[in-house]
């Protein structure tokens, strides 16, 4: 949601706030045991929470007082049963709120206003930039890469209900609304088994079929109509990427067979979409000369979907040729009647081909070296052609299964390209990349798997994640460009190098401000080096939902990139909750895709008006980043840091939520270390205890240091002039608005953890003080009233839920009864769902 002022806020209150109160009353009819009594008691618990936190009571004290004052329940099991009923009730309140926001999206947001394509075209006309816009848009694209990262706690059945409930709410159909709420009451939220990678893939295919197929096609058609284009762009303006089934970094359940199965499912899904559109076209295009063409195309599509084991030589080009022939007949013989329907399908085929979304392969860098050494040992190689000085003496502790699967996966890419087209699988991403050798290891593996040096239609993409790797990325890239073999490969890939930058691990490693600044500077450095070497560099951002993982106001980040940063494309991951919250409906999807397109294209089109950082301002940024980094490191290096997070949050139970196939840490070890912990559970754990450390910690200390050094006026000037800094702090404000320290204030006097809690709380207060001082605002998120009220309402809904979770953690930690421990652990896990879902972008 954008800053849409008083009108938007009033719309929000009418369409979401008031309706939530109205439809919330229907929850008393949900098919739960003693549901009416549950609703009344939950209201009393809510009052107890508000009153108790004002008196500095702990969650355990609040819950105990609630049972004593408002119930006659004495048995522990009966208390537990009621708490589980509260959890179920609140989970469904969150679903109702989600559905209300989704249904109100086009009313609350100006679909033709700031940041939209209409605004972009208007600005281009006003400033005489239409020719430049046409040139830019003809060779520009955004790539949204859907990932299976475990931040989506809604099972597919519930997502379907939210979609239908949103439509019923839009129509004010009270009968349907009541029925869907009844269905919601009977639909389980908890997955008894972990999903397989294929399950994860099919969950996201639903969004491709029901959302992106429509919204992306609509945008594509609108742009071509606006610009008067009768031909296609040089490349698809909107591209979709896909990780489930291809991302095997730390996920032993993704194997070559999975990759092939998912690629086949993607091909089948898009052909099914085309088939349904062709069937619809036949109802309108009943004219002479067209029916045989459509019938042949319909049969060809049918044979590729419904005949088991049949994959014909159907191609994207063949479909477009047929549709173009139909288009010409309509224009010349039938007065252009319904030609727009044919154009819509042509545009969709141009975007999605026969692959729907391009399946990326990703593996961690150390695996490739181990595979090469295992191959060398088995086949008695003394060296490798493309790694002449490679050290083969290092120990290769790797299973035969992983060696074989790595090689089979590389071979599988060729099979996928044959069936889905080259675009169906043409990127191999190396996570934890720390050297040019890591890239050449992958190149060498491809050569060992019967690929040819002169025919390798695959982009090898290094992923730089840690602060050190980001700072060394320029040297690594220059070494690659100097490599004659790799440079020859790039020449065949149109002299284009894609580089992925990881926000999540960067923030975990260096803190919020340092990670974002390190990525910004790495982009500048890599852009300069690539330009000097005659290479077009494209940045692929690994962004999560919350600001701590690169999320938040994403389009504003792209609008804030400086002139010195390459802007050939926008590529980013769309993870977990962000898929459903930002792209879950056609309206939201269209709006947010347009915002990204506008940001990227405007950044180039109107770059002459951008104010670049002076050397003095850049030094200021470096100083802020370094000071915040040091403050964050002090917290990280506290001897009880990891134990604090493990004992006070649901971190240790993430793997039991059954929301994803991937383990929560990269390596198995007796003692969990921060370096092995994945960013998602790390960030998510902080969000559930309402401390959100990763989104602001160190910033207050850095700004205070500026103030003490007499540089605060310069910092204020930097804030006014740098959209990049302003966007970073806007996101900080969002994160801080979702904190609630009274929830854990009982830890402030804890004999072991009191010091850490007070470090975090004091930094929060310091950051809040200085952000308001820097911006001149009176409250956090003052510029975003709709988002602010949305967060306040969501946080109020889940207050009893966070209280129940902290109560369960306290009871679990003190309990010696095995059965009681199991019940409280289950309660901790179940509470996680509603808390995370309510926050929408918290993990």
């Amino acid at each position: 949601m954008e800053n849409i002022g008083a009108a938007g806020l009033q719309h929000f209150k009418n369409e979401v706030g008031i309706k939530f109160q109205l439809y919330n009353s229907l929850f008393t009819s949900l098919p739960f045991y003693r549901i009416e009594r549950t609703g009344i008691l939950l209201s009393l618990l809510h009052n107890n929470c508000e009153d108790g936190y004002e008196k500095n009571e702990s969650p355990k004290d609040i819950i105990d007082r609630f049972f004593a004052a408002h119930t006659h329940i004495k048995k522990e099991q009966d208390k537990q049963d009621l708490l589980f009923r509260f959890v179920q009730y609140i989970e469904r309140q969150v679903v109702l709120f989600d559905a209300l926001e989704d249904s109100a999206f086009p009313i609350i947001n100006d679909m033709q206003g700031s940041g939209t394509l209409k605004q972009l075209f208007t600005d281009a006309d006003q400033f005489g930039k239409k020719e430049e816009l046409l040139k830019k848009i003809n060779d520009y694209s955004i790539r949204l890469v859907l990932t299976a990262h475990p931040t989506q706690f809604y099972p597919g059945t519930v997502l379907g209900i939210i979609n239908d409930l949103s439509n019923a709410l839009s129509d004010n159909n009270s009968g349907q609304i009541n029925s869907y709420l009844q269905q919601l009451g009977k639909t389980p939220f908890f997955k008894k088994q972990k999903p397989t990678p294929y399950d994860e893939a099919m969950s996201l295919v639903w969004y491709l079929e029901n959302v992106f197929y429509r919204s992306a096609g609509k945008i594509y058609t609108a742009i071509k109509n606006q610009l008067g284009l009768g031909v296609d762009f040089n490349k698809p303006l909107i591209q979709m990427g896909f990780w489930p089934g291809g991302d095997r970094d730390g996920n032993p359940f993704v194997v070559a067979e999975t990759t092939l199965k998912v690629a086949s499912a993607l091909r089948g899904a898009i052909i099914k979409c085309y088939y349904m559109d062709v069937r619809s076209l036949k109802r309108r295009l009943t004219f002479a000369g067209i029916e045989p063409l459509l019938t042949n195309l319909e049969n060809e599509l049918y044979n590729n979907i419904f005949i088991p084991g049949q994959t014909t030589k159907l191609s994207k080009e063949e479909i477009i040729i047929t549709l173009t022939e139909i288009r010409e007949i309509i224009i010349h013989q039938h007065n252009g009647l319904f030609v727009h329907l044919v154009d819509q399908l042509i545009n969709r085929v141009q975007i999605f081909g026969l692959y729907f979304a391009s399946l990326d392969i990703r593996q961690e860098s150390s695996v490739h070296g181990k595979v090469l050494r295992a191959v060398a040992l088995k086949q008695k190689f003394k060296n490798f052609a493309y790694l002449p000085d490679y050290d083969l003496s290092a120990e290769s502790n790797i299973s035969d299964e992983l060696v074989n699967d790595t090689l089979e996966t590389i071979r599988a890419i060729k099979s996928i390209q044959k069936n889905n087209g080259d675009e169906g699988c043409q990127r191999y991403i190396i996570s934890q990349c720390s050297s040019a050798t890591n890239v050449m290891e992958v190149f060498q593996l491809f050569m060992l798997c019967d690929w040819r040096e002169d025919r390798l239609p695959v982009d090898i993409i290094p992923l730089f994640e840690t602060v050190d790797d980001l700072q060394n990325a320029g040297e690594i890239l220059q070494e690659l460009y100097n490599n004659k073999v790799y440079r020859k490969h790039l020449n065949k890939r149109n002299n284009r190098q894609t580089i992925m930058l990881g926000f999540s691990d960067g923030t975990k490693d260096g803190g919020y401000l340092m990670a974002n600044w390190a990525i910004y500077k790495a982009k500048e450095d890599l852009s300069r080096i690539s330009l000097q070497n005659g290479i077009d560099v494209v940045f692929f951002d690994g962004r999560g939902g919350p600001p701590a993982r690169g999320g938040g106001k994403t389009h504003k980040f792209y609008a804030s990139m400086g002139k010195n940063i390459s802007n050939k494309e926008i590529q980013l991951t769309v993870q977990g909750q962000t898929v459903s919250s930002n792209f879950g409906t056609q309206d939201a999807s269209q709006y947010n895709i347009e915002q990204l397109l506008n940001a990227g294209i405007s950044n180039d089109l109107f770059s002459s008006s951008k104010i670049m950082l002076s050397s003095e301002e850049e030094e200021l940024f470096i100083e802020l980043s370094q000071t915040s980094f040091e403050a964050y490191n002090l917290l990280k290096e506290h001897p009880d840091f990891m134990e604090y997070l493990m004992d006070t949050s649901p971190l240790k139970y993430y793997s039991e939520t059954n929301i994803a196939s991937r383990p929560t840490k990269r390596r198995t070890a007796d003692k969990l270390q921060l370096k092995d912990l994945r960013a998602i559970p790390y960030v998510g754990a902080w969000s559930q205890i309402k401390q959100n450390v990763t989104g602001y910690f160190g910033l207050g200390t850095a700004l205070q240091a500026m103030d003490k050094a007499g540089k605060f006026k310069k910092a204020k000037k930097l804030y006014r002039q740098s959209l990049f800094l302003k966007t970073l702090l806007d996101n900080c404000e969002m994160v801080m608005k979702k904190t609630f320290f009274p929830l854990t204030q009982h830890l402030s006097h804890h004999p072991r953890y009191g010091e850490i809690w007070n470090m975090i709380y004091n930094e929060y207060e310091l950051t809040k003080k200085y952000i308001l001082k820097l911006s001149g605002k009176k409250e956090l998120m003052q510029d975003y009233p709709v988002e602010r009220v949305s967060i306040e309402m969501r946080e109020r809904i889940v207050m009893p839920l966070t209280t129940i979770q902290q109560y369960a953690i306290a009871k679990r930690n003190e309990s010696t009864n095995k059965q009681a421990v199991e019940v409280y652990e289950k309660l901790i896990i179940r509470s996680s769902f509603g808390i995370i879902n309510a926050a929408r972008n918290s993990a």
Side-chain angles (χ1 to χ4, degrees), residues 744-763:
T744 52
Q745 191 165 5
H746 60 283
L747 296 170
S748 62
H749 303 295
H750 192 280
R752 184 178 183 188
Y753 298 138
E755 184 179 359
I756 295 180
W757 188 93
N758 283 292
M759 282 177 70
I760 295 168
Y761 177 70
N762 291 337
E763 184 64 27

Side-chain angles (χ1 to χ4, degrees), residues 240-254:
M240 299 303 300
F242 208 75
W243 275 19
D247 179 15
R248 58 246 304 130
D249 175 16
N251 192 340
F253 306 109
V254 178

Side-chain angles (χ1 to χ4, degrees), residues 494-770:
N494 297 317
N495 287 315
R496 178 165 291 209
Q497 172 66 56
T498 303
I499 296 171
M500 188 172 181
L501 302 166
F503 285 75
S504 300
D505 283 288
T507 305
K508 189 186 78 172
D509 180 50
Y512 179 64
L513 195 58
M514 173 58 89
N516 278 279
W517 178 244
I519 288 171
Y520 187 94
K521 291 306 293 179
K523 285 186 174 182
E524 281 194 336
D525 198 26
L526 295 167
S527 298
R528 175 182 54 78
I529 291 168
S530 298
L531 185 63
Q532 291 170 351
N533 285 272
I535 301 294
D536 287 337
V537 67
V538 174
F539 296 116
F540 174 26
D541 294 333
R543 295 182 179 274
R549 295 185 49 242
K553 303 180 190 309
T554 306
H555 62 280
K556 289 205 165 185
F557 270 112
Y558 291 110
S560 72
M561 294 293 101
K563 294 180 189 177
N564 299 330
I565 292 176
S566 174
N567 183 30
K568 306 294 181 185
E569 297 179 15
I570 288 178
Q571 297 189 8
L572 70 156
T573 55
V574 183
Q575 303 179 9
Q577 291 169 303
T578 313
V579 179
S580 57
S581 61
N582 287 2
F583 302 95
T585 66
Q586 289 184 36
D587 287 327
S589 175
Q590 180 182 338
Y591 180 83
N592 284 299
I593 289 173
E594 287 193 21
Q595 292 285 320
L596 286 169
L597 281 168
N598 185 312
I601 293 170
S602 296
N603 198 356
D604 267 8
L605 216 58
F606 307 109
S607 60
S608 59
S609 62
K610 295 182 68 171
I611 300 173
M612 301 298 293
L613 294 179
S614 66
S615 56
E616 183 183 19
E617 288 169 334
E618 191 160 307
E619 284 299 319
L620 207 64
F621 228 127
I622 292 170
E623 194 175 331
L624 279 169
S625 302
Q626 188 60 40
T627 307
S628 70
F629 177 57
E630 291 166 1
Y632 178 66
N633 265 350
L634 274 178
L635 178 68
K636 273 198 319 179
E637 291 167 3
H638 191 287
D640 295 326
F641 178 72
M642 282 305 298
E643 284 75 11
Y644 172 85
L645 193 57
M646 291 285 285
D647 286 349
T648 65
S649 80
L651 177 62
K652 66 180 77 171
Y653 308 108
Y654 250 78
S655 61
E656 297 172 44
T657 54
N658 292 336
I659 58 167
S661 64
R662 192 171 73 159
T664 57
K665 56 182 180 177
R666 283 192 165 92
R667 299 171 183 85
T668 56
D670 293 335
K671 185 177 180 181
L672 181 64
Q673 296 182 333
L674 183 57
K675 67 179 181 179
D676 294 331
L677 183 63
R678 291 194 177 276
I680 291 169
Y682 177 68
V683 174
W686 286 116
S687 75
Q688 288 193 66
I689 60 174
K690 299 298 172 185
Q691 293 181 4
N692 291 328
V693 163
T694 49
Y696 62 84
F697 198 93
L699 179 59
T701 297
L703 289 171
Q704 184 185 54
M706 286 282 166
D707 197 10
K708 288 182 178 178
K711 299 180 181 179
F712 200 72
K713 283 187 178 179
K714 293 180 180 178
K716 290 193 78 165
K717 182 183 176 185
L718 179 63
Y719 175 81
R720 288 195 304 271
Q721 293 189 348
S722 171
L723 180 59
F724 179 64
L725 179 59
K726 189 175 188 307
T727 302
L728 285 176
L729 297 196
D730 281 350
N731 279 339
C732 270
E733 291 182 43
M734 183 197 300
V735 168
M736 295 173 74
K737 189 68 181 173
K738 295 179 180 180
T739 59
F740 185 63
F741 279 92
L743 179 70
T744 52
Q745 191 165 5
H746 60 283
L747 296 170
S748 62
H749 303 295
H750 192 280
R752 184 178 183 188
Y753 298 138
E755 184 179 359
I756 295 180
W757 188 93
N758 283 292
M759 282 177 70
I760 295 168
Y761 177 70
N762 291 337
E763 184 64 27
Y764 166 82
E765 287 293 327
L766 191 65
T767 303
K768 181 179 177 181
K769 170 188 171 183
Y770 272 100

Side-chain angles (χ1 to χ4, degrees), residues 198 202 205 209 260-276 301-306 310-311 314 352-357 419-420:
Y198 184 75
M202 296 315 294
V205 166
E209 292 174 323
L260 288 166
K261 188 177 179 183
V262 169
S264 178
L266 286 166
R267 184 180 190 273
I270 190 58
I271 292 175
K272 184 175 73 174
C273 288
Y274 297 155
Y275 176 77
M276 298 306 294
L301 294 169
Y302 180 93
N303 291 340
N304 276 267
I305 308 170
F306 299 113
Q310 178 163 336
T311 301
L314 182 69
F352 300 112
L354 289 182
Y355 56 91
F356 219 153
N419 292 325
N420 296 21

Side-chain angles (χ1 to χ4, degrees), residues 38 135 137 144 158 213 237 247 253 272 299 400 498 504 510 512 567 674 763 796:
T38 301
K135 183 179 178 182
I137 214 168
L144 303 176
V158 175
Y213 183 71
L237 184 65
D247 179 15
F253 306 109
K272 184 175 73 174
N299 291 338
D400 289 342
T498 303
S504 300
Y512 179 64
N567 183 30
L674 183 57
E763 184 64 27
R796 190 171 190 279

Side-chain angles (χ1 to χ4, degrees), residues 271-283:
I271 292 175
K272 184 175 73 174
C273 288
Y274 297 155
Y275 176 77
M276 298 306 294
D277 275 0
V278 169
R279 295 270 296 179
S280 297
L281 278 177
K282 288 187 74 175
R283 294 173 64 87

